[in-house]
Amino acid sequence: MTADLPVRPPGPPATDVPPPDPGPVRRPPTRLLAPLRETGKLFALALSVTRSVFRRPFQVREFVEQFWFIASVTILPAALVSIPFGAVIALQVGSLTQQLGAQSFTGGASVLAVIQQASPLIVALLISGAGGSAICADLGSRKIREELDAMEVMGVSPVQRLVVPRVLATMGVAVLLNGLISVVGTLGGYFFNVIMQHGTPGAYLASFSALAQLPDLYISEVKALIFGFIAGIVAAHRGLNPRGGPKGVGDAVNQSVVITFMLLFFVNMILTAIYLQIVPAKGS
């Protein structure tokens, strides 16, 4: 009696030839795509913040606390920095107008330079350097302690709860600080031009209406509003994405300030070019 042997199912004949080697797997250059990825995340956060502004509930208490904090750390430095800015602009413009024989236009030219360019940039630098760094450090410390992850588990949006009040606070403080710096810078320029360069007070004040116009103040406030939004978004973005624990939070703070500075000067150039094309110079 013979034992039943296992029957092999029909199929292709077995071969001992190994499958062909597909070769090395080509991966996309992650280092080259990293800046694009971070830029996309930044714009996505800006869009999310814009949409969350109109959602309820609005964090009124958080907004008031952040507004007061940012204002308290920027008001005095803004006033102190605007005085030498206005003085340097007035002295430089006054020296140039004396060489050209148009000293009567020193006041108008100085005010245009202070209101259109110096004031929004001073506001942006102070907001990003003082308020933005504090926002980035606060959010970064919450991230490494996993507080933001716990909020998401409980169904609370960190963007709506923490980021939106801080961004709105930076925008509000930027608009108010812009008016303060414009006034202090103009007074500083008036003092240095009249006292140190022996200019005429009446001519300095009369030239305001000769060169300056109301849209100059409008574009200054619009710049301050946009710069405050950019400073808040960049600080929040770097604070929400720290790397490497506590050391990564410090690096994120430095990166937020540097990135904000670069974006501010680029956006300021674009807004100035658009304004000069849309609004004609007075008297033209």
Side-chain angles (χ1 to χ4, degrees):
M1 186 174 181
T2 59
D4 296 335
L5 298 177
V7 180
R8 184 177 181 181
T15 58
D16 296 334
V17 179
D21 186 10
V25 180
R26 294 184 179 181
R27 297 180 179 179
T30 55
R31 292 185 179 180
L32 298 179
L33 296 180
L36 297 178
R37 189 179 299 109
E38 292 297 324
T39 304
K41 291 181 181 179
L42 181 64
F43 279 95
L45 178 61
L47 181 60
S48 178
V49 169
T50 304
R51 291 186 299 182
S52 300
V53 169
F54 305 99
R55 294 179 182 175
R56 296 184 179 181
F58 181 74
Q59 306 298 327
V60 179
R61 181 176 179 179
E62 188 76 17
F63 169 75
V64 174
E65 290 179 354
Q66 294 299 321
F67 188 95
W68 173 250
F69 169 74
I70 297 174
S72 62
V73 298
T74 53
I75 287 179
L76 183 59
L80 296 178
V81 169
S82 61
I83 295 176
F85 259 89
V88 170
I89 292 175
L91 294 175
Q92 188 67 37
V93 173
S95 176
L96 181 62
T97 53
Q98 285 181 358
Q99 297 177 12
L100 298 177
Q103 190 175 0
S104 59
F105 291 100
T106 302
S110 301
V111 169
L112 283 178
V114 170
I115 293 180
Q116 282 194 18
Q117 303 298 329
S119 180
L121 288 178
I122 294 174
V123 169
L125 298 180
L126 290 175
I127 289 292
S128 61
S133 59
I135 291 174
C136 182
D138 180 33
L139 295 178
S141 62
R142 291 172 183 262
K143 181 67 176 180
I144 63 175
R145 293 197 304 264
E146 299 182 354
E147 293 183 13
L148 302 183
D149 298 334
M151 293 176 62
E152 293 179 352
V153 171
M154 293 186 295
V156 179
S157 173
V159 173
Q160 185 177 4
R161 177 63 178 81
L162 299 176
V163 178
V164 171
R166 285 163 171 76
V167 173
L168 293 179
T170 56
M171 295 171 65
V173 173
V175 172
L176 297 180
L177 278 183
N178 185 64
L180 173 65
I181 293 177
S182 299
V183 173
V184 176
T186 301
L187 293 178
Y190 172 83
F191 175 80
F192 279 90
N193 179 259
V194 173
I195 301 301
M196 300 189 63
Q197 292 184 323
H198 307 290
T200 305
Y204 190 94
L205 298 176
S207 62
F208 286 3
S209 58
L211 296 179
Q213 52 185 340
L214 198 56
D216 298 329
L217 181 61
Y218 294 159
I219 188 60
S220 178
E221 295 291 353
V222 170
K223 283 184 178 181
L225 187 68
I226 296 176
F227 292 167
F229 179 78
I230 293 175
I233 290 295
V234 173
H237 170 68
R238 296 308 308 149
L240 294 175
N241 301 279
R243 297 177 182 176
K247 182 180 181 300
V249 176
D251 295 339
V253 172
N254 295 332
Q255 292 172 7
S256 68
V257 175
V258 174
I259 294 173
T260 303
F261 284 4
M262 296 174 61
L263 290 177
L264 291 178
F265 286 104
F266 180 72
V267 174
N268 179 64
M269 179 188 66
I270 296 177
L271 292 176
T272 303
I274 295 175
Y275 173 75
L276 294 179
Q277 293 294 326
I278 295 177
V279 181
K282 193 170 184 180
S284 60

